[in-house]
Structure formats: structure tokens, C-alpha cells
């Protein structure tokens, strides 16, 4: 059989219900494989292959191999595509092995290897290893991350697990924050009930760490480090671990607070609800002012102290308008 992008040759014999003795060889475009899954957005490339099927009908022996070149793979709702794919895959009776698979992803390199074990023509269990090098991803318009990593995907058709390590080499967050809308979005919410796919059920066990995370926006200018464990599932991820500020400043009403300590702890295994612990100081006129904040987004404690000592109303006044309460002449309500 020949087509514009496909050439197949099938020879041999088959006794239905008893045995196989078939040989399939040829070459093809990868485009028809898009029909395998609705989540595939694009698949391109060329493949050449030779496969044989022999033996008993109930337990056939499959052998052969396939070369893939100039491949491209992209999924819906994911803006990045795996390009320049070159791979060799072979089948040896009861298992499929990805001997090598290399490609480009978002300016970096990806290499994949792995094995899947077969039960007749279906997959019984699998293990896939991927190595990521120098990947740069844009999380949002003003948030980008560069990282390396090793990820392992294994399981059966019923249960799967994605595990490994992501090492962040450099990251920068420069998006301006409008406090009112940010606080509303940041509050813990009940999860919406949506249709769950098999991928959403995949269990997670991924460590994400890095020491060169830079925040530079209207709220802070700081260098951060993080050590986070990503658990739960792809559909309902949970964060466990800590993010800390190594150094930096925080802005409030044109005042620069020097960060003495700042950490965000993720310790709740049931929902993402971080605990903040922040201490910072600044100097306004002849007063050293210290700020302490700890607690959760929906319930936290904020305290201000100064040297020489002032009450909190006067401290807030100094920070907002540069004067103490007794000089405000009726503006105390606005300060509150």
C-alpha cells in the first residue's frame, strides 16, 4: 500500500484464533497518530519500521524496531512543543523499549528512555525516564523560570506516578500586585468539581528547589530560595516545604523596609494554605520602625514597634503621610 506520506508492506499468514506469522515493514508520516488522543494538538515527523508477529494467538511474539526523525509533538492547553525529535524504539516479544529519544523544548534539551511491558497488544506496566537541561519556561507574562531536572513516569493503566527533581537555576517574578484583587484570589477556596481525566489522577512526588529566585516588582525586591515537595495529583496538587528570602527590601507607601527574615511554610497536606513569618525594619525621620507579620492569609497577626517608642497609630501615620497622629487634623480615620 502506498500513499503520499506512507508506504506499507505486509506479508505472511494468520490463522484466526490459532496463530500469527506476519511481517510488516515500511515508512510513514506520524500525523495519523493524532487520532490516538484528543489531547494531542500536533504531531509531525517521519518513521521507518519493521515488525514481525508470530506464535500463538493468545500469546503472540512481537519483534521489531522503529526510527523516528524530524518529529514534533504538542498537546492542547500547553503552549510548548517538543521539537527536533529523533528516536529509536524496539519491541522484543513482551516489552517495548525506548532506547533513545532526544528533542528540543523551550530552548533546552530533553532526552527520554524507558520500557513498557505488554500483555498481548495492551500495556501492562511502564517506566519512562526523562532528563531536562536548560529549559526556560514562562509561567506568565512577567514570570519566567530556567531549570534542569530528572523526571520519572511509571505505573499501570490504572495508576500512574510522576516523580523526580526539578532544580531551578534562575527565576524572575516582576508582575505588579494589586493588593485587593491579589488577596481575594489568594484565599484558600473549595476545589471546583470538574471532569477528572487519567492524567489528572497521576500521583505526584516531585522535589522543586533553587536558590536564585528573584522578585522585582512594586511590592518587593528580594532574592529567594525554595525547597518544595509537590505531592497529591496533577489534578489536585499539594505543596509541602518552605520558601525563604535570603535578602531584600519590601515597599510600603514609599518606605523601604529591609527584610530581616521572611519565610512561607507549606505544611498542610490537604490544601495549599501557606503560613507567613516576616520581620522587616525601616527608618522614618528619627524613628526605627520594625514590622512583624505571621499567620495565614485569612487570619494573620500584624504588629509595629518603634524606637523611640510610639503607639501603632502614630507609627502608621509616619509610614503613610510622614507625620504623627496629633498633626493629622481629622485624618485619623483615613489612616485606619
Amino acid at each position: 500500500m502506498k500513499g503520499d506520506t506512507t508506504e506499507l508492506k505486509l506479508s505472511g499468514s494468520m490463522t484466526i484464533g490459532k496463530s500469527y506469522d506476519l511481517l510488516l515493514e515500511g515508512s510513514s508520516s506520524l500525523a495519523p497518530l493524532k487520532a490516538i488522543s484528543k489531547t494531542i494538538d500536533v504531531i509531525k515527523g517521519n518513521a521507518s519500521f519493521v515488525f514481525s508477529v508470530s506464535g500463538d494467538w493468545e500469546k503472540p511474539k512481537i519483534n521489531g524496531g522503529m526510527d523516528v526523525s524530524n518529529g514534533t509533538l504538542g498537546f492542547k492547553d500547553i503552549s510548548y512543543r517538543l521539537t527536533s525529535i529523533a528516536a529509536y524504539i524496539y519491541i522484543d516479544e513482551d516489552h517495548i523499549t525506548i532506547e533513545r529519544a532526544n528533542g528540543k523544548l523551550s530552548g533546552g534539551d530533553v532526552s527520554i528512555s524507558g520500557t513498557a511491558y505488554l500483555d498481548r497488544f495492551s500495556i501492562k506496566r511502564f517506566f519512562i525516564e526523562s532528563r531536562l537541561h536548560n529549559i526556560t519556561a514562562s509561567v506568565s507574562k512577567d514570570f519566567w523560570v530556567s531549570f534542569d531536572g530528572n523526571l520519572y513516569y511509571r505505573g499501570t493503566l490504572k495508576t500512574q506516578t510522576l516523580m523526580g527533581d526539578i532544580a531551578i537555576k534562575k527565576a524572575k517574578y516582576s508582575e505588579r500586585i494589586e493588593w485587593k484583587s491579589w488577596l481575594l484570589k489568594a484565599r484558600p477556596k473549595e476545589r471546583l468539581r470538574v471532569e477528572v481525566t487519567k492524567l489528572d489522577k497521576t500521583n505526584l512526588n516531585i522535589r522543586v528547589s533553587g536558590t536564585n529566585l528573584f522578585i522585582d516588582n512594586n511590592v518587593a525586591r528580594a532574592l529567594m530560595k525554595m525547597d518544595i515537595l509537590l505531592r497529591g495529583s496533577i489534578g489536585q496538587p499539594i505543596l509541602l516545604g518552605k520558601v525563604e528570602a535570603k535578602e531584600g527590601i519590601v515597599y510600603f507607601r514609599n518606605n523601604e523596609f529591609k527584610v530581616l527574615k521572611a519565610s512561607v511554610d507549606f505544611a498542610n497536606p490537604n490544601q495549599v494554605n501557606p503560613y507567613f513569618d516576616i520581620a522587616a525594619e525601616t527608618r522614618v525621620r528619627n524613628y526605627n520602625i520594625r514590622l512583624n507579620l505571621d499567620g495565614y492569609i485569612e487570619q494573620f497577626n500584624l504588629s509595629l514597634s518603634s524606637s523611640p517608642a510610639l503607639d501603632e497609630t502614630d507609627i502608621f501615620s509616619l509610614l503613610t503621610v510622614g507625620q504623627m497622629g496629633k498633626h493629622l487634623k481629622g485624618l485619623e480615620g483615613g489612616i485606619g
Side-chain angles (χ1 to χ4, degrees), residues 7-288:
E7 181 176 345
L8 300 176
K9 181 180 179 181
L10 179 64
S11 59
S13 62
M14 176 177 66
T15 303
I16 296 176
K18 290 187 178 181
S19 63
Y20 298 93
D21 186 14
L22 299 173
L23 179 66
L24 176 66
E25 55 186 320
S27 61
S28 174
S29 164
L30 297 177
L33 296 178
K34 184 178 180 181
I36 292 176
S37 173
K38 293 180 180 180
T39 62
I40 296 177
D41 181 50
V42 61
I43 182 169
K44 297 187 294 185
N46 304 305
S48 58
F49 50 85
V50 176
F51 293 111
S52 67
V53 183
S54 61
D56 185 75
W57 182 269
E58 294 296 329
K59 293 184 178 181
K61 297 179 179 179
I62 306 172
N63 297 87
M66 178 172 65
D67 261 310
V68 176
S69 61
N70 301 318
T72 298
L73 177 63
F75 294 91
K76 295 177 180 177
D77 301 323
I78 298 177
S79 56
Y80 300 101
R81 292 180 177 179
L82 188 60
T83 61
S84 303
I85 300 172
Y88 179 68
I89 303 167
Y90 68 88
I91 302 178
D92 185 7
E93 295 189 3
D94 66 340
H95 61 274
I96 303 174
T97 299
I98 303 175
E99 187 174 86
R100 56 171 174 81
N102 302 308
K104 295 287 186 180
L105 178 66
S106 190
D109 300 308
V110 178
S111 62
I112 300 172
S113 60
T115 300
Y117 292 88
L118 303 176
D119 183 8
R120 296 185 66 181
F121 295 106
S122 64
I123 295 176
K124 184 166 56 175
R125 67 182 189 277
F126 65 89
F127 176 85
I128 298 173
E129 176 184 0
S130 63
R131 298 184 181 276
L132 313 174
H133 177 66
N134 206 27
I135 306 296
T136 300
S138 178
V139 181
S140 64
K141 184 181 70 171
D142 299 306
F143 184 17
W144 59 264
V145 181
S146 177
F147 62 92
D148 296 337
N150 295 318
L151 296 177
Y152 308 91
Y153 187 43
R154 70 182 187 187
T156 66
L157 293 181
K158 291 184 178 180
T159 61
Q160 303 88 39
T161 300
L162 182 62
M163 63 183 69
D165 296 276
I166 296 292
I168 298 177
K169 299 166 67 176
K170 193 173 184 180
K172 185 175 182 179
Y173 180 73
S174 56
E175 182 178 1
R176 287 184 60 84
I177 293 177
E178 299 299 331
W179 278 108
K180 290 182 180 179
S181 58
W182 183 85
L183 285 171
L184 288 173
K185 289 190 296 184
R187 290 180 182 276
K189 299 177 181 178
E190 293 185 4
R191 299 184 184 275
L192 297 176
R193 292 186 179 182
V194 296
E195 183 179 353
V196 178
T197 66
K198 286 186 178 181
L199 186 61
D200 291 328
K201 293 181 180 179
T202 299
N203 297 315
L204 294 173
N205 189 6
I206 300 174
R207 183 188 179 194
V208 183
S209 59
T211 59
N212 196 16
L213 320 177
F214 192 51
I215 296 176
D216 186 11
N217 59 13
N218 61 311
V219 174
R221 183 180 177 87
L223 188 63
M224 313 288 291
K225 65 178 181 179
M226 70 181 298
D227 193 351
I228 293 292
L229 188 62
L230 191 60
R231 299 295 298 269
S233 65
I234 291 180
Q236 294 186 327
I238 292 295
L239 297 178
L240 298 172
K242 178 179 284 190
V243 180
E244 296 179 281
K246 298 167 65 177
E247 59 185 52
I249 56 176
V250 177
Y251 305 113
F252 176 72
R253 290 296 181 95
N254 297 320
N255 297 287
E256 291 188 359
F257 278 84
K258 180 183 177 182
V259 174
L260 302 176
K261 68 171 182 176
S263 65
V264 183
D265 282 293
F266 299 88
N268 191 330
N270 300 312
Q271 63 177 351
V272 179
N273 189 21
Y275 183 89
F276 295 86
D277 185 9
I278 299 169
E281 65 178 5
T282 189
R283 185 171 180 82
V284 180
R285 296 196 172 185
N286 296 319
Y287 295 89
N288 291 321

